[in-house]
C-alpha cells in the first residue's frame, strides 16, 4: 500500500513556505514498516528558496528512524543529513554543512540582537539521541563576523571521551594569520 502526498504550508507572500512532495509506503513485513520518500520539493526560508534533494528516504520502524540522502540546497549551499536515530549509542546521525552562509540564521537570532556572517563547512555527528544525546563535530567557519565585528576564521573539533564521559574541545580563531583565541581540554 502507498500514498502520494503534497503538503503546502503558508501562502505565496509569506516569508516561510513549504511545498513538499512525497510517497509513503506501508509494509507489514521486513525491518522497515513505513518508508517516506521525498520527491522534488521546495522550502522557502526567510524568502529564500531551498530545494530538497530528490529521492530522500526516511525508514520508520518501532525502534529507529533511518534517514538517507536528505539534503537542502540553495545555490552552492548544502545541508545534508544521513544516518539513524535510535536508542542504540552506535547509531549516528550525520549533519553536513557545505558553504552554508550563517546569514541564513539571522532571522532566528535577531530578536536577541545577534547577527552573524561567515561560511560554515564541516559535519556534526549526533548519537545516542533517544537516551543521553551526544555530539562530535569538526567544523570550520570562514570569515566569522558577529554583530558587524570581524572575529576571524574558526576551527572547532568536539567529541566525548568514552572513558571519562567528558566533553573534549579543541578549537581556535585565526584573524589575519594570527591565532587570537584557543581552547583545548576536557569539560564536564
Amino acid at each position: 500500500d502507498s500514498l502520494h502526498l503534497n503538503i503546502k504550508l503558508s501562502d505565496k507572500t509569506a516569508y516561510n513556505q513549504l511545498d513538499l512532495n512525497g510517497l509513503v509506503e506501508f509494509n507489514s513485513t521486513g525491518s522497515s514498516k513505513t518508508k517516506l520518500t521525498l520527491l522534488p520539493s521546495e522550502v522557502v526560508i526567510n524568502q529564500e528558496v531551498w530545494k530538497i534533494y530528490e529521492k530522500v528516504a526516511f525508514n520508520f520502524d518501532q525502534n529507529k528512524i533511518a534517514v538517507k540522502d536528505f539534503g537542502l540546497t540553495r545555490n552552492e549551499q548544502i545541508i545534508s543529513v544521513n544516518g539513524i536515530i535510535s536508542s542504540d549509542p552506535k547509531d549516528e546521525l550525520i549533519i553536513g554543512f557545505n558553504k552554508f552562509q550563517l546569514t541564513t540564521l539571522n532571522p532566528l537570532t535577531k530578536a536577541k540582537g545577534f547577527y552573524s556572517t561567515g561560511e560554515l563547512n564541516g559535519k556534526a555527528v549526533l548519537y545516542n539521541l533517544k537516551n543521553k544525546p551526544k555530539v562530535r563535530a569538526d567544523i570550520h567557519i570562514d570569515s566569522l563576523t558577529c554583530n558587524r565585528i570581524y572575529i576571524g576564521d574558526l576551527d572547532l573539533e568536539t567529541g566525548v571521551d568514552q572513558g571519562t564521559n567528558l566533553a573534549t574541545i579543541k578549537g581556535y580563531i585565526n584573524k589575519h594569520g594570527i591565532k587570537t583565541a584557543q581552547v583545548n581540554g576536557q569539560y564536564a
Side-chain angles (χ1 to χ4, degrees):
D1 291 328
S2 65
L3 170 70
H4 288 270
L5 61 94
N6 175 252
I7 300 171
K8 290 184 184 274
L9 298 177
S10 198
D11 63 58
K12 286 293 184 188
T13 60
Y15 273 56
N16 301 305
Q17 302 169 30
L18 174 66
D19 185 2
L20 187 69
N21 298 292
L23 172 67
V24 181
E25 298 171 273
F26 304 96
N27 187 358
S28 60
T29 62
S31 62
S32 179
K33 301 293 183 203
T34 306
K35 178 180 179 182
L36 169 63
T37 304
L38 296 183
L39 303 171
S41 300
E42 290 184 352
V43 178
V44 177
I45 304 169
N46 304 316
Q47 294 185 323
E48 296 179 345
V49 176
W50 288 76
K51 304 246 184 228
I52 297 175
Y53 280 178
E54 187 173 344
K55 302 282 182 164
V56 175
F58 295 87
N59 290 303
F60 302 87
D61 73 16
Q62 292 178 346
N63 299 316
K64 61 176 69 179
I65 301 169
V67 182
K68 183 178 178 206
D69 297 330
F70 178 83
L72 277 175
T73 63
R74 174 173 167 69
N75 301 328
E76 293 183 333
Q77 299 179 76
I78 301 171
I79 301 170
S80 61
V81 181
N82 281 286
I84 298 173
I85 300 169
S86 77
S87 56
D88 185 342
K90 293 181 217 132
D91 288 337
E92 299 178 334
L93 186 68
I94 302 166
I95 303 172
F97 300 94
N98 187 37
K99 298 185 178 184
F100 179 74
Q101 301 302 312
L102 295 179
T103 55
T104 304
L105 302 175
N106 286 340
L108 302 173
T109 61
K110 72 179 178 182
K112 297 291 183 186
F114 183 78
Y115 297 88
S116 63
T117 64
E119 183 178 279
L120 172 62
N121 291 286
K123 70 177 181 178
V125 179
L126 292 80
Y127 57 101
N128 208 17
L129 288 173
K130 289 190 175 182
N131 292 323
K132 294 181 180 177
K134 296 183 177 158
V135 64
R136 288 188 318 268
D138 185 1
I139 62 170
H140 173 79
I141 300 175
D142 186 50
S143 302
L144 176 62
T145 302
C146 296
N147 292 345
R148 298 188 182 131
I149 298 171
Y150 180 71
I151 306 298
D153 298 333
L154 169 70
D155 282 287
L156 183 65
E157 294 178 31
T158 66
V160 175
D161 183 311
Q162 297 303 323
T164 62
N165 212 28
L166 296 174
T168 59
I169 299 173
K170 180 180 179 183
Y172 63 89
I173 296 174
N174 195 350
K175 185 175 182 180
H176 306 298
I178 299 170
K179 195 176 282 186
T180 58
Q182 182 173 339
V183 62
N184 189 4
Q186 292 186 319
Y187 306 90

